[in-house]
Amino acid sequence: MSEFTDFEAALSTERFGAYMLSCDNDRSKAMDLYTLNTRVSASLYAPLQALEVTLRNRFHHQLSEAYGEDWYDQHGVITQLFQRQKILSAQVDLAASQKQLTPGRIVASLTFGFWTSCLSFTYDDSLWRRGGLSKAFMAGGEKPNRKSVNRVLTPIRQLRNRIAHHEPILYFDLPKHHRNILMVTHWLMPIAAEWAAAHSTFASTYYRTIAAQMLKPAAREEVRRT
């Protein structure tokens, strides 16, 4: 029992409390659920990596064709304040590391949230149409519109951020998100989606343990707050 108490302290009472609530305060079961959440999170790494890397590279390619390789520094291209701050932060960090401020390094330093924000209504004309981002999603033969892409990517970004911050994800409709991750990656570049599907361990991890049924509905709001 002491080892569970020690581990609970390491996680924080609030965070581990969500698992305890789901398991009727059974610490052993809560630990199993926490471990399962970790394994399922890890199983989504390859698909999320394929999507994020492919998305940023496809966007960079299209925006470079439209506005030049340093499109992120061109006046009027990226206008949202938080995105401007992300660009500046990347440049400052690279300069502090005495690295050359090349487009490739700057692009690689920008967050998934930066890239998905390029699909907001603000950029419907400047990035989606004139910037060519609509073309980025046609490699798989589809022609999705900006709203539909944004609608799918927003919850994927939220899921990705929860995984990155080691938060509970079992209450998500994970099979749906896994399918959507592969689907959007296919829109961007089919070969990347094939790689992600080949190296994804999600199905074997998730369905073998029936993770979707292990988190009680009563615990979901508690989980969302942790």
Side-chain angles (χ1 to χ4, degrees), residues 193-210:
E194 291 174 18
W195 179 90
H199 293 281
S200 173
T201 60
F202 173 76
S204 60
T205 302
Y206 185 83
Y207 291 110
R208 184 175 58 218
T209 54
I210 319 178

Side-chain angles (χ1 to χ4, degrees), residues 19 34-48 159 162-170 174 201-202 205-206:
Y19 297 95
Y34 176 82
T35 302
L36 174 62
N37 187 80
T38 302
R39 288 175 177 167
V40 173
S41 297
S43 76
L44 289 166
Y45 181 84
L48 284 169
L159 173 63
R162 289 193 71 86
I163 291 173
H165 290 93
H166 319 298
E167 296 175 349
I169 63 167
L170 296 180
L174 296 177
T201 60
F202 173 76
T205 302
Y206 185 83

Side-chain angles (χ1 to χ4, degrees), residues 146-158:
R146 181 192 58 78
K147 288 183 180 179
S148 64
V149 175
N150 198 27
R151 191 180 305 119
V152 174
L153 277 176
T154 295
I156 291 175
R157 173 182 55 79
Q158 294 168 343

Side-chain angles (χ1 to χ4, degrees), residues 77-103:
V77 176
I78 298 299
T79 57
Q80 292 189 18
L81 179 59
F82 106 89
Q83 288 180 297
R84 298 302 320 163
Q85 291 173 332
K86 291 293 184 183
I87 293 169
L88 178 60
S89 178
Q91 293 170 330
V92 169
D93 289 345
L94 287 170
S97 300
Q98 298 184 332
K99 294 181 179 178
Q100 187 177 359
L101 303 185
T102 63

Side-chain angles (χ1 to χ4, degrees), residues 23-52:
C23 297
D24 297 323
N25 292 319
D26 185 317
R27 280 187 164 79
S28 180
K29 290 182 179 179
M31 273 299 307
D32 288 342
L33 190 60
Y34 176 82
T35 302
L36 174 62
N37 187 80
T38 302
R39 288 175 177 167
V40 173
S41 297
S43 76
L44 289 166
Y45 181 84
L48 284 169
Q49 173 186 285
L51 172 60
E52 185 166 353

